[in-house]
Amino acid sequence: MPAGDKSTIVTRAPRVAEIAARCAQEAETARRLSPQVVQAVRDAGFARHFVPSAHGGEAGGFTELTSAVGLVGEGCTSAAWAASLAAYAGRYAAFLPAQGQAEIWADGPDTLLAGALMPSGKAEPVAGGWRLSGEWKYISGVHFADWALACAAVPAEGPVDPDARPEVRFFAVPRADFTIEDSWFTVGMRGTGSDTLLLSDVFVPEHRTLPRSAVHAGRAPASDARCHIVPMHAVNALPFAAPLVGAARGALRAWIARAGSRVDRRGQAVGEKPSTQVSLARSAAEIDAAELLILRTAAVADGTQCPPEGEAAVRGARDLALAVELLVSAVDRVFRAGGTSGQSSSDPVQRFWRDVNSAASHVALSFETTGAAYGAWALSGEERAAAVH
Protein backbone atom coordinates (compact mmCIF):
# COMPACT_ATOMS: atom_id res chain seq x y z
CA MET A 1 0.00 0.00 0.00
CA PRO A 2 1.49 3.36 -0.91
CA ALA A 3 2.03 5.80 1.91
CA GLY A 4 -0.89 8.22 2.11
CA ASP A 5 -1.52 11.47 3.87
CA LYS A 6 -2.28 11.61 7.57
CA SER A 7 -6.04 11.28 7.01
CA THR A 8 -5.79 7.95 5.19
CA ILE A 9 -6.20 5.75 8.25
CA VAL A 10 -9.34 7.60 9.34
CA THR A 11 -10.96 7.57 5.91
CA ARG A 12 -10.28 3.84 5.47
CA ALA A 13 -11.43 2.77 8.93
CA PRO A 14 -15.16 2.58 8.10
CA ARG A 15 -14.39 0.05 5.38
CA VAL A 16 -12.52 -2.07 7.91
CA ALA A 17 -15.51 -1.79 10.27
CA GLU A 18 -17.86 -2.95 7.52
CA ILE A 19 -15.77 -6.02 6.71
CA ALA A 20 -15.20 -6.81 10.38
CA ALA A 21 -18.91 -6.56 11.20
CA ARG A 22 -19.72 -9.07 8.45
CA CYS A 23 -17.10 -11.46 9.80
CA ALA A 24 -17.81 -10.91 13.51
CA GLN A 25 -19.64 -14.18 14.05
CA GLU A 26 -16.91 -16.06 12.23
CA ALA A 27 -14.34 -14.45 14.52
CA GLU A 28 -16.37 -15.42 17.59
CA THR A 29 -16.52 -19.05 16.48
CA ALA A 30 -12.90 -19.33 15.37
CA ARG A 31 -11.64 -17.23 18.32
CA ARG A 32 -9.51 -15.16 15.96
CA LEU A 33 -10.02 -12.69 13.16
CA SER A 34 -10.66 -13.91 9.63
CA PRO A 35 -7.88 -13.39 7.05
CA GLN A 36 -9.94 -10.81 5.16
CA VAL A 37 -10.30 -8.67 8.30
CA VAL A 38 -6.57 -8.91 8.99
CA GLN A 39 -5.85 -7.86 5.43
CA ALA A 40 -8.27 -4.95 5.74
CA VAL A 41 -6.50 -3.79 8.91
CA ARG A 42 -3.16 -3.99 7.14
CA ASP A 43 -4.43 -2.25 3.99
CA ALA A 44 -5.95 0.59 6.00
CA GLY A 45 -2.52 1.49 7.36
CA PHE A 46 -2.72 0.48 11.01
CA ALA A 47 0.52 -1.51 10.97
CA ARG A 48 2.48 1.36 9.41
CA HIS A 49 0.94 4.15 11.45
CA PHE A 50 3.78 4.56 13.97
CA VAL A 51 6.54 3.09 11.79
CA PRO A 52 9.40 5.60 11.30
CA SER A 53 9.35 7.51 8.02
CA ALA A 54 12.82 6.14 7.28
CA HIS A 55 11.17 2.75 6.74
CA GLY A 56 8.24 4.09 4.72
CA GLY A 57 5.90 4.48 7.69
CA GLU A 58 3.65 7.36 8.66
CA ALA A 59 5.16 8.28 12.07
CA GLY A 60 1.55 9.36 12.65
CA GLY A 61 -0.36 10.94 15.48
CA PHE A 62 -2.24 9.50 18.44
CA THR A 63 -5.45 11.44 17.82
CA GLU A 64 -5.98 10.18 14.30
CA LEU A 65 -5.21 6.60 15.32
CA THR A 66 -7.60 6.84 18.26
CA SER A 67 -10.36 8.10 15.95
CA ALA A 68 -9.69 5.37 13.38
CA VAL A 69 -9.67 2.61 16.00
CA GLY A 70 -12.97 3.88 17.36
CA LEU A 71 -14.52 3.73 13.90
CA VAL A 72 -13.41 0.11 13.44
CA GLY A 73 -14.83 -0.72 16.87
CA GLU A 74 -18.31 0.22 15.72
CA GLY A 75 -18.22 -2.88 13.56
CA CYS A 76 -16.21 -5.30 15.73
CA THR A 77 -14.44 -4.71 19.03
CA SER A 78 -11.92 -7.48 18.41
CA ALA A 79 -10.90 -6.03 15.05
CA ALA A 80 -10.46 -2.59 16.60
CA TRP A 81 -8.41 -4.07 19.44
CA ALA A 82 -6.18 -5.89 16.96
CA ALA A 83 -5.76 -2.77 14.82
CA SER A 84 -4.88 -0.66 17.84
CA LEU A 85 -2.37 -3.09 19.30
CA ALA A 86 -0.74 -3.74 15.94
CA ALA A 87 -0.14 -0.02 15.55
CA TYR A 88 1.32 0.37 19.02
CA ALA A 89 3.54 -2.69 18.62
CA GLY A 90 5.01 -0.97 15.58
CA ARG A 91 5.70 2.03 17.78
CA TYR A 92 7.62 -0.10 20.28
CA ALA A 93 9.70 -1.61 17.47
CA ALA A 94 10.77 1.90 16.50
CA PHE A 95 12.89 1.93 19.66
CA LEU A 96 15.06 -0.95 18.40
CA PRO A 97 18.58 -0.30 17.12
CA ALA A 98 18.77 0.64 13.45
CA GLN A 99 19.78 -2.86 12.31
CA GLY A 100 16.85 -4.44 14.13
CA GLN A 101 14.42 -1.99 12.58
CA ALA A 102 15.84 -2.70 9.14
CA GLU A 103 15.22 -6.43 9.60
CA ILE A 104 11.63 -6.02 10.78
CA TRP A 105 10.66 -3.64 7.99
CA ALA A 106 12.83 -5.16 5.27
CA ASP A 107 9.70 -5.97 3.25
CA GLY A 108 7.99 -2.65 3.92
CA PRO A 109 6.19 -0.80 6.72
CA ASP A 110 3.04 -2.93 6.73
CA THR A 111 4.64 -5.72 8.74
CA LEU A 112 2.28 -6.82 11.52
CA LEU A 113 3.68 -7.16 15.02
CA ALA A 114 2.24 -8.53 18.25
CA GLY A 115 3.59 -7.44 21.59
CA ALA A 116 3.84 -8.77 25.13
CA LEU A 117 4.07 -5.77 27.47
CA MET A 118 4.49 -7.70 30.72
CA PRO A 119 7.70 -9.62 31.42
CA SER A 120 7.66 -13.39 31.40
CA GLY A 121 9.93 -16.24 30.35
CA LYS A 122 13.67 -16.39 30.82
CA ALA A 123 16.38 -14.43 29.01
CA GLU A 124 20.02 -15.47 29.30
CA PRO A 125 22.90 -13.43 27.87
CA VAL A 126 25.11 -15.22 25.36
CA ALA A 127 27.74 -14.12 22.87
CA GLY A 128 26.17 -11.62 20.48
CA GLY A 129 22.74 -11.56 22.10
CA TRP A 130 20.35 -13.57 24.23
CA ARG A 131 18.71 -16.97 24.57
CA LEU A 132 15.01 -16.66 25.23
CA SER A 133 12.57 -19.31 26.46
CA GLY A 134 9.15 -19.38 28.06
CA GLU A 135 5.52 -18.54 27.52
CA TRP A 136 3.72 -15.22 27.18
CA LYS A 137 -0.05 -15.30 27.68
CA TYR A 138 -2.75 -13.10 26.18
CA ILE A 139 -0.88 -11.99 23.05
CA SER A 140 -3.57 -10.38 20.91
CA GLY A 141 -3.09 -10.87 17.19
CA VAL A 142 -0.32 -13.40 17.59
CA HIS A 143 -1.77 -15.69 14.89
CA PHE A 144 -1.31 -13.17 12.10
CA ALA A 145 1.83 -11.46 13.41
CA ASP A 146 4.94 -11.43 11.22
CA TRP A 147 7.01 -10.62 14.30
CA ALA A 148 6.45 -10.75 18.05
CA LEU A 149 7.93 -8.56 20.76
CA ALA A 150 8.46 -10.70 23.85
CA CYS A 151 9.18 -8.97 27.14
CA ALA A 152 11.45 -10.43 29.80
CA ALA A 153 13.44 -9.42 32.84
CA VAL A 154 17.18 -9.89 32.33
CA PRO A 155 19.97 -10.74 34.78
CA ALA A 156 21.73 -7.74 36.28
CA GLU A 157 25.38 -7.13 35.43
CA GLY A 158 27.91 -6.66 38.20
CA PRO A 159 27.02 -6.39 41.91
CA VAL A 160 23.32 -6.91 42.55
CA ASP A 161 21.40 -4.27 44.49
CA PRO A 162 18.66 -6.16 46.36
CA ASP A 163 16.42 -3.08 46.27
CA ALA A 164 16.85 -2.42 42.54
CA ARG A 165 14.26 -3.52 40.03
CA PRO A 166 15.54 -5.90 37.35
CA GLU A 167 15.98 -4.51 33.86
CA VAL A 168 13.17 -5.44 31.50
CA ARG A 169 13.78 -5.72 27.77
CA PHE A 170 11.80 -6.32 24.59
CA PHE A 171 13.03 -9.03 22.22
CA ALA A 172 11.93 -9.05 18.56
CA VAL A 173 11.31 -12.58 17.30
CA PRO A 174 10.29 -13.54 13.72
CA ARG A 175 7.30 -15.79 13.09
CA ALA A 176 9.52 -18.75 12.22
CA ASP A 177 10.95 -18.77 15.75
CA PHE A 178 7.78 -19.00 17.83
CA THR A 179 4.84 -21.32 18.27
CA ILE A 180 1.36 -20.66 19.61
CA GLU A 181 -0.62 -22.48 22.29
CA ASP A 182 -4.40 -22.45 21.82
CA SER A 183 -5.49 -20.97 25.16
CA TRP A 184 -7.95 -18.14 24.45
CA PHE A 185 -11.37 -19.33 25.69
CA THR A 186 -13.20 -16.27 26.98
CA VAL A 187 -16.59 -14.65 27.56
CA GLY A 188 -15.78 -11.59 25.48
CA MET A 189 -13.21 -10.28 23.01
CA ARG A 190 -13.17 -13.76 21.52
CA GLY A 191 -12.03 -12.67 18.09
CA THR A 192 -8.73 -11.17 19.29
CA GLY A 193 -7.10 -14.59 19.24
CA SER A 194 -5.09 -13.66 22.32
CA ASP A 195 -3.40 -17.02 22.65
CA THR A 196 -0.09 -17.92 24.29
CA LEU A 197 3.27 -17.24 22.63
CA LEU A 198 5.85 -19.99 23.13
CA LEU A 199 9.62 -19.70 22.70
CA SER A 200 12.12 -22.47 23.20
CA ASP A 201 15.80 -21.53 23.44
CA VAL A 202 15.52 -18.91 20.69
CA PHE A 203 18.59 -16.82 19.89
CA VAL A 204 17.87 -13.09 19.68
CA PRO A 205 20.79 -10.93 18.50
CA GLU A 206 21.58 -7.79 20.44
CA HIS A 207 20.33 -5.53 17.66
CA ARG A 208 16.85 -7.00 18.07
CA THR A 209 16.46 -6.07 21.74
CA LEU A 210 15.71 -2.82 23.53
CA PRO A 211 15.22 -1.76 27.15
CA ARG A 212 11.60 -1.16 28.08
CA SER A 213 12.77 1.92 29.94
CA ALA A 214 13.56 3.56 26.58
CA VAL A 215 9.90 3.27 25.58
CA HIS A 216 8.80 4.60 28.96
CA ALA A 217 11.08 7.60 28.65
CA GLY A 218 10.44 8.23 24.95
CA ARG A 219 14.04 7.73 23.81
CA ALA A 220 13.84 6.44 20.24
CA PRO A 221 17.34 6.01 18.77
CA ALA A 222 16.80 7.33 15.25
CA SER A 223 13.58 9.37 15.09
CA ASP A 224 12.55 12.73 16.44
CA ALA A 225 8.90 12.31 15.43
CA ARG A 226 6.51 13.22 18.22
CA CYS A 227 5.13 9.68 18.42
CA HIS A 228 8.63 8.34 19.15
CA ILE A 229 9.71 10.83 21.79
CA VAL A 230 6.59 11.03 23.91
CA PRO A 231 6.96 9.32 27.31
CA MET A 232 4.78 6.35 28.09
CA HIS A 233 2.77 8.15 30.76
CA ALA A 234 1.34 10.41 28.04
CA VAL A 235 -0.05 7.38 26.23
CA ASN A 236 -0.93 5.17 29.18
CA ALA A 237 -3.77 2.78 28.37
CA LEU A 238 -4.82 4.57 25.18
CA PRO A 239 -4.42 1.43 23.00
CA PHE A 240 -6.94 -0.42 25.19
CA ALA A 241 -9.49 2.34 25.76
CA ALA A 242 -9.85 3.51 22.14
CA PRO A 243 -11.53 0.35 20.78
CA LEU A 244 -14.21 0.48 23.46
CA VAL A 245 -15.59 3.84 22.33
CA GLY A 246 -16.46 2.31 18.99
CA ALA A 247 -17.85 -0.81 20.64
CA ALA A 248 -20.19 1.24 22.80
CA ARG A 249 -21.33 3.25 19.77
CA GLY A 250 -21.90 0.00 17.88
CA ALA A 251 -24.00 -1.34 20.74
CA LEU A 252 -26.07 1.82 20.92
CA ARG A 253 -26.64 1.90 17.17
CA ALA A 254 -27.72 -1.76 17.07
CA TRP A 255 -30.03 -1.23 20.03
CA ILE A 256 -31.65 1.84 18.43
CA ALA A 257 -32.28 -0.10 15.23
CA ARG A 258 -34.02 -2.87 17.15
CA ALA A 259 -35.91 -0.61 19.58
CA GLY A 260 -37.32 1.39 16.70
CA SER A 261 -39.17 -1.63 15.36
CA ARG A 262 -40.29 -3.23 18.62
CA VAL A 263 -43.66 -3.00 20.33
CA ASP A 264 -44.40 -4.06 23.89
CA ARG A 265 -47.17 -6.41 25.04
CA ARG A 266 -49.65 -3.57 25.01
CA GLY A 267 -48.82 -2.72 21.42
CA GLN A 268 -46.97 0.48 22.27
CA ALA A 269 -43.87 1.26 20.22
CA VAL A 270 -40.86 0.82 22.50
CA GLY A 271 -39.09 3.80 20.95
CA GLU A 272 -41.95 6.10 21.96
CA LYS A 273 -41.62 5.35 25.66
CA PRO A 274 -39.99 8.14 27.74
CA SER A 275 -38.01 5.54 29.68
CA THR A 276 -36.51 4.23 26.45
CA GLN A 277 -35.67 7.72 25.28
CA VAL A 278 -34.04 8.65 28.59
CA SER A 279 -31.97 5.47 28.61
CA LEU A 280 -30.80 6.21 25.09
CA ALA A 281 -29.91 9.79 25.97
CA ARG A 282 -27.97 8.84 29.09
CA SER A 283 -25.96 6.13 27.35
CA ALA A 284 -25.25 8.40 24.38
CA ALA A 285 -24.05 11.14 26.72
CA GLU A 286 -21.81 8.75 28.62
CA ILE A 287 -20.25 7.56 25.36
CA ASP A 288 -19.69 11.15 24.23
CA ALA A 289 -18.11 12.07 27.58
CA ALA A 290 -15.86 9.02 27.46
CA GLU A 291 -14.75 9.85 23.93
CA LEU A 292 -13.87 13.41 24.95
CA LEU A 293 -11.69 12.14 27.79
CA ILE A 294 -9.97 9.64 25.51
CA LEU A 295 -9.38 12.16 22.75
CA ARG A 296 -7.98 14.64 25.28
CA THR A 297 -5.43 12.05 26.32
CA ALA A 298 -4.52 11.52 22.67
CA ALA A 299 -4.19 15.28 22.14
CA VAL A 300 -1.80 15.53 25.09
CA ALA A 301 0.27 12.71 23.60
CA ASP A 302 0.33 14.61 20.30
CA GLY A 303 1.39 17.79 22.06
CA THR A 304 -1.66 19.76 20.94
CA GLN A 305 -2.90 20.07 24.53
CA CYS A 306 -0.76 20.62 27.60
CA PRO A 307 -2.02 19.78 31.10
CA PRO A 308 -0.66 21.72 34.10
CA GLU A 309 2.96 20.98 34.89
CA GLY A 310 3.30 17.81 36.93
CA GLU A 311 -0.25 16.64 36.25
CA ALA A 312 0.56 15.06 32.89
CA ALA A 313 2.08 11.97 34.46
CA VAL A 314 -1.14 11.00 36.28
CA ARG A 315 -4.12 12.63 34.56
CA GLY A 316 -4.18 10.60 31.35
CA ALA A 317 -4.35 7.24 33.09
CA ARG A 318 -7.09 8.54 35.39
CA ASP A 319 -9.10 9.88 32.45
CA LEU A 320 -8.85 6.66 30.45
CA ALA A 321 -9.93 4.49 33.37
CA LEU A 322 -12.90 6.76 34.09
CA ALA A 323 -13.81 6.84 30.39
CA VAL A 324 -13.97 3.06 30.32
CA GLU A 325 -16.20 3.03 33.41
CA LEU A 326 -18.57 5.36 31.55
CA LEU A 327 -18.55 3.07 28.53
CA VAL A 328 -19.33 0.04 30.68
CA SER A 329 -22.23 1.94 32.22
CA ALA A 330 -23.54 2.89 28.79
CA VAL A 331 -23.50 -0.62 27.34
CA ASP A 332 -24.86 -2.18 30.54
CA ARG A 333 -27.87 0.12 30.35
CA VAL A 334 -28.43 -0.63 26.68
CA PHE A 335 -28.16 -4.36 27.27
CA ARG A 336 -30.65 -4.30 30.14
CA ALA A 337 -33.07 -2.18 28.13
CA GLY A 338 -33.03 -4.80 25.39
CA GLY A 339 -34.88 -7.31 27.53
CA THR A 340 -34.79 -11.05 27.01
CA SER A 341 -34.86 -10.78 23.23
CA GLY A 342 -31.61 -8.82 23.32
CA GLN A 343 -29.80 -11.80 24.79
CA SER A 344 -29.99 -13.82 21.62
CA SER A 345 -26.58 -15.01 20.47
CA SER A 346 -27.30 -13.46 17.08
CA ASP A 347 -27.87 -9.99 18.52
CA PRO A 348 -24.82 -7.73 18.12
CA VAL A 349 -25.70 -5.81 21.30
CA GLN A 350 -24.85 -8.76 23.54
CA ARG A 351 -21.55 -9.23 21.71
CA PHE A 352 -20.58 -5.58 22.23
CA TRP A 353 -21.72 -5.84 25.85
CA ARG A 354 -19.54 -8.88 26.49
CA ASP A 355 -16.60 -7.29 24.69
CA VAL A 356 -16.70 -3.99 26.58
CA ASN A 357 -17.08 -5.64 29.98
CA SER A 358 -14.27 -8.10 29.22
CA ALA A 359 -11.85 -5.47 27.93
CA ALA A 360 -12.64 -3.17 30.85
CA SER A 361 -11.07 -5.72 33.20
CA HIS A 362 -7.63 -5.02 31.70
CA VAL A 363 -5.24 -4.11 34.51
CA ALA A 364 -4.23 -0.87 32.77
CA LEU A 365 -7.83 0.36 32.95
CA SER A 366 -8.31 0.00 36.72
CA PHE A 367 -9.59 3.24 38.23
CA GLU A 368 -8.59 2.04 41.70
CA THR A 369 -4.96 2.05 40.62
CA THR A 370 -4.95 5.12 38.39
CA GLY A 371 -7.23 7.08 40.71
CA ALA A 372 -4.98 6.34 43.67
CA ALA A 373 -1.95 7.60 41.72
CA TYR A 374 -3.76 10.81 40.82
CA GLY A 375 -5.03 11.30 44.36
CA ALA A 376 -1.57 10.75 45.83
CA TRP A 377 -0.16 13.36 43.47
CA ALA A 378 -2.91 15.88 44.15
CA LEU A 379 -2.58 15.52 47.91
CA SER A 380 1.21 15.44 48.05
CA GLY A 381 1.69 19.20 48.47
CA GLU A 382 -0.10 22.54 48.37
CA GLU A 383 1.36 23.58 45.03
CA ARG A 384 0.38 20.34 43.33
CA ALA A 385 -3.04 20.33 44.94
CA ALA A 386 -3.59 23.85 43.70
CA ALA A 387 -2.88 22.69 40.14
CA VAL A 388 -5.93 20.43 40.33
CA HIS A 389 -8.08 23.50 40.66
Side-chain angles (χ1 to χ4, degrees):
M1 182 188 73
D5 62 34
K6 298 298 183 180
S7 65
T8 298
I9 194 172
V10 177
T11 58
R12 292 182 175 178
R15 174 61 175 163
V16 182
E18 179 185 343
I19 296 171
R22 289 203 308 264
C23 299
Q25 188 55 53
E26 178 185 344
E28 288 256 303
T29 303
R31 293 177 293 108
R32 68 190 67 167
L33 297 178
S34 65
Q36 54 265 49
V37 174
V38 174
Q39 191 60 48
V41 167
R42 194 193 300 260
D43 289 345
F46 285 95
R48 68 164 56 208
H49 186 73
F50 286 133
V51 174
S53 56
H55 297 288
E58 299 291 348
F62 294 95
T63 300
E64 58 193 343
L65 177 65
T66 299
S67 297
V69 166
L71 289 169
V72 175
E74 293 182 24
C76 174
T77 323
S78 291
W81 187 273
S84 182
L85 268 59
Y88 279 89
R91 177 176 177 267
Y92 305 142
F95 289 79
L96 285 165
Q99 185 179 353
Q101 293 186 39
E103 289 185 13
I104 286 181
W105 293 304
D107 295 327
D110 294 312
T111 297
L112 288 169
L113 293 97
L117 301 184
M118 299 305 295
S120 185
K122 183 178 182 180
E124 296 182 331
V126 295
W130 302 80
R131 287 284 177 185
L132 194 60
S133 296
E135 65 175 36
W136 287 260
K137 295 182 178 180
Y138 316 127
I139 309 302
S140 300
V142 66
H143 287 278
F144 54 78
D146 303 306
W147 289 77
L149 293 173
C151 189
V154 302
E157 297 181 0
V160 178
D161 180 354
D163 297 324
R165 292 184 177 181
E167 182 188 20
V168 176
R169 299 185 70 88
F170 285 116
F171 299 84
V173 182
R175 181 64 185 87
D177 286 352
F178 63 82
T179 56
I180 302 168
E181 179 185 342
D182 190 20
S183 58
W184 187 242
F185 299 90
T186 59
V187 171
M189 303 297 288
R190 292 174 179 170
T192 61
S194 303
D195 285 310
T196 301
L197 169 74
L198 300 176
L199 297 174
S200 179
D201 195 32
V202 172
F203 174 71
V204 182
E206 190 65 37
H207 64 263
R208 284 205 261 114
T209 73
L210 66 112
R212 192 174 66 173
S213 59
V215 180
H216 284 180
R219 296 193 304 268
S223 174
D224 59 0
R226 172 72 186 187
C227 65
H228 299 140
I229 62 173
V230 65
M232 181 62 82
H233 68 70
V235 180
N236 295 302
L238 198 53
F240 313 116
L244 305 190
V245 175
R249 289 205 185 283
L252 188 62
R253 181 178 296 134
W255 178 73
I256 290 172
R258 182 157 51 80
S261 61
R262 286 178 60 210
V263 294
D264 65 13
R265 294 178 180 177
R266 299 178 180 179
Q268 181 182 4
V270 172
E272 294 178 359
K273 292 184 175 183
S275 60
T276 300
Q277 296 162 357
V278 170
S279 291
L280 187 158
R282 188 175 295 279
S283 288
E286 287 178 332
I287 295 168
D288 285 350
E291 184 175 34
L292 289 171
L293 286 171
I294 292 170
L295 287 175
R296 184 173 76 166
T297 303
V300 170
D302 282 331
T304 57
Q305 288 192 27
C306 297
E309 185 177 355
E311 192 176 4
V314 290
R315 193 182 76 179
R318 177 208 69 181
D319 285 355
L320 294 173
L322 180 61
V324 169
E325 287 193 351
L326 290 171
L327 295 172
V328 169
S329 174
V331 297
D332 281 355
R333 183 179 300 103
V334 165
F335 180 69
R336 290 195 304 272
T340 303
S341 62
Q343 298 180 32
S344 169
S345 60
S346 62
D347 193 309
V349 173
Q350 56 81 29
R351 170 170 53 84
F352 285 121
W353 174 72
R354 287 186 288 106
D355 287 345
V356 170
N357 276 276
S358 294
S361 67
H362 195 288
V363 64
L365 299 173
S366 166
F367 192 81
E368 284 68 26
T369 301
T370 59
Y374 183 87
W377 169 82
L379 297 170
S380 62
E382 292 184 3
E383 292 183 2
R384 288 185 177 182
V388 178
H389 307 288

